[in-house]
Amino acid sequence: MTKGWGRPFEEPIEVAGLSLVTLLDAGQYIAALPNKEHAAPEWQAAMEALMLVVELGGPTMFAHIGIVRALNRHYVPAFNPNVWSGRALQEVSSTWQMRSCINVSGL
């Protein structure tokens, strides 16, 4: 794989009217964040992933995932009770009951 800041993402990241197309665009976006925002652990992890991709030539998807996770760090999905109804809830419940019966103190 090639290295460098000019590499494009497989799919651009859309942020507040901006389109982050290359690794350089993403790096400049992160650098322009306010200090309090920039110091958040999610943004630090995103920048670390970005630097690893740039320096070592890894897949741009790693940096893409880091940036999207940092952008969505305050998002909390709404609880949908219909997801955990019926058979799925029974399977999860029985799995946890089985695990609670296993003695792991000797491990």
Side-chain angles (χ1 to χ4, degrees), residues 8-74:
F9 288 110
E10 293 174 15
E11 189 176 314
I13 302 170
E14 301 296 328
V15 179
L18 296 173
S19 183
L20 307 178
V21 179
T22 65
L23 298 174
L24 180 61
D25 295 339
Q28 290 174 337
Y29 177 81
I30 295 171
L33 290 171
N35 285 340
K36 185 177 180 182
E37 185 94 2
H38 189 270
E42 295 86 357
W43 281 112
Q44 292 295 311
M47 194 61 176
E48 184 175 348
L50 183 65
M51 295 296 294
L52 287 171
V53 169
V54 169
E55 292 174 358
L56 302 177
T60 57
M61 186 56 71
F62 291 161
H64 188 280
I65 292 169
I67 293 166
V68 171
R69 286 184 58 136
L71 288 169
N72 293 319
R73 72 189 180 287
H74 296 300

